[in-house]
Amino acid sequence: MIWALQSTGGTAAQELVNRHTLVKDLGILSRPGTTNINLRISQTLGYSVNGIITLLVNRKQTGQVNQLYLQQELKYSAVVEDNGRFRITNTLSHNLGLLFLFDSLTRFRNDETTLTTRLDIALGHHVAFNFTSALSTRLFNDYSTRVTDSGNQVRILNSGFFTPLLWLLSAGFTGTVHKCGRIILGLSSAKLTWVLNRQVYQAQGVETFFGAPQPKGYLLEYGLALQLLIDKDLFRRVHWNCDILVFKNYLKPVDLTLKNIFTVTINKFLQTNIQTRIFYEEEVSRSLQLENLVSLGFYFNL
């Protein structure tokens, strides 16, 4: 869905356009001699439900492998831009999986909701100043189970809503790769890790959780950020989406998050995804966590 708000000095007219089709003349909203304004607002909404076979390697949350679960994915994006001079992108991404375990238990897994806001102000044809804010959390509590010495099965809290909340703020520059994607260099970046439910410390029996010490319940880090975003059609029915994010605290090792997705569109409402996710954060685990997902399901885009 595309809406364009156009105002041109000297014409004293303004138009609202939907998918390049004139909808309504809003009247005289600009005066002759003013700076040309050409605002374009575009919105996209995508939703899919998939059945997934997954292979987990060195995954801290669970030792199970080759499990079957259902997953829904929702992505909403709104972009405001002014003829290439500036661009504001807001993206809400929600992934929620329902995992079926062999012991007849169910669990919310791959529960991740991210709200990202990006501001790009053009400095040249392929270079722009960039400010990025990215908030990420899960919505539901995640538990693991343990059998006590008395034979009772107890649940242990692993994570939950705002437990932790991850917030990355970054200011720097964006470089555009022709017909491929963007490289974002955050020369001044901050990463906030906040723990809302302090019971996770007692449940895990730890003094720090995702690097946040128990007395404070939060961790604020400063450093550099580098992000590579690729969004490209390889063939008519094959789409490639890749998001690589590297954050380097000045005093600690690098944190790495990689999400790579190949999407094959079978027909109007059916598609298959091949996803690879790689995580590394020393505060969580010193092992490189690798997750491979193969999914087939229903989807639609607006």
Side-chain angles (χ1 to χ4, degrees):
M1 182 180 296
I2 300 174
W3 299 88
L5 183 62
Q6 298 179 328
S7 176
T8 304
T11 64
Q14 199 168 51
E15 299 174 341
L16 187 64
V17 179
N18 179 18
R19 292 189 181 277
H20 307 289
T21 302
L22 178 63
V23 175
K24 185 178 181 182
D25 186 351
L26 297 182
I28 300 175
L29 296 177
S30 64
R31 293 178 296 177
T34 59
T35 303
N36 291 349
I37 301 174
N38 187 6
L39 291 181
R40 182 180 177 86
I41 304 173
S42 60
Q43 302 177 75
T44 59
L45 175 65
Y47 179 79
S48 65
V49 178
N50 302 300
I52 299 175
I53 298 175
T54 179
L55 172 64
L56 306 178
V57 179
N58 290 329
R59 187 68 174 176
K60 183 182 178 184
Q61 288 81 359
T62 175
Q64 302 291 332
V65 295
N66 297 334
Q67 296 174 342
L68 175 65
Y69 67 100
L70 299 178
Q71 176 172 296
Q72 68 170 3
E73 299 181 7
L74 173 68
K75 186 174 183 180
Y76 169 76
S77 179
V79 179
V80 180
E81 54 186 336
D82 176 23
N83 200 26
R85 285 179 286 191
F86 74 86
R87 178 185 178 98
I88 301 174
T89 305
N90 290 282
T91 303
L92 175 64
S93 177
H94 169 68
N95 296 298
L96 180 63
L98 185 61
L99 177 64
F100 297 92
L101 301 179
F102 295 114
D103 54 6
S104 300
L105 295 176
T106 58
R107 178 189 303 171
F108 290 109
R109 188 190 161 278
N110 198 26
D111 179 1
E112 182 182 23
T113 300
T114 303
L115 176 62
T116 304
T117 300
R118 290 190 178 93
L119 169 63
D120 291 294
I121 301 176
L123 300 177
H125 191 59
H126 295 290
V127 180
F129 170 79
N130 173 270
F131 174 79
T132 299
S133 170
L135 286 162
S136 180
T137 182
R138 63 179 299 125
L139 298 182
F140 299 95
N141 289 341
D142 177 58
Y143 298 92
S144 60
T145 58
R146 179 173 60 86
V147 179
T148 64
D149 296 336
S150 59
N152 296 324
Q153 191 176 65
V154 296
R155 297 196 307 174
I156 301 174
L157 179 65
N158 290 326
S159 57
F161 180 67
F162 281 12
T163 309
L165 166 70
L166 303 177
W167 188 10
L168 178 65
L169 294 170
S170 177
F173 300 96
T174 298
T176 302
V177 182
H178 182 60
K179 294 183 179 181
C180 186
R182 292 180 295 167
I183 299 177
I184 302 174
L185 175 61
L187 297 177
S188 178
S189 303
K191 181 180 178 182
L192 173 66
T193 303
W194 182 50
V195 180
L196 174 63
N197 189 350
R198 301 292 185 85
Q199 295 179 359
V200 71
Y201 292 100
Q202 289 76 28
Q204 294 284 324
V206 295
E207 294 296 326
T208 61
F209 182 70
F210 279 80
Q214 183 177 7
K216 296 193 300 182
Y218 70 90
L219 175 66
L220 184 61
E221 303 174 86
Y222 298 96
L224 300 173
L226 179 64
Q227 187 170 24
L228 172 63
L229 298 172
I230 298 176
D231 194 10
K232 180 179 177 60
D233 288 325
L234 297 180
F235 306 101
R236 188 171 68 91
R237 293 182 177 270
V238 180
H239 185 79
W240 179 28
N241 185 279
C242 183
D243 184 349
I244 303 175
L245 175 61
V246 177
F247 177 79
K248 176 65 174 72
N249 185 316
Y250 293 123
L251 303 175
K252 296 182 180 180
V254 168
D255 297 338
L256 169 67
T257 302
L258 183 150
K259 300 177 182 178
N260 191 74
I261 305 174
F262 290 99
T263 301
V264 180
T265 301
I266 299 175
N267 57 37
K268 186 176 181 180
F269 297 107
L270 192 64
Q271 71 177 15
T272 182
N273 291 328
I274 303 173
Q275 303 184 33
T276 299
R277 298 170 181 255
I278 298 176
F279 307 92
Y280 179 78
E281 186 173 351
E282 188 179 67
E283 300 288 353
V284 179
S285 174
R286 296 197 176 189
S287 299
L288 188 68
Q289 301 181 54
L290 172 65
E291 180 180 82
N292 293 307
L293 306 175
V294 179
S295 65
L296 174 66
F298 166 84
Y299 86 103
F300 71 88
N301 287 305
L302 292 179

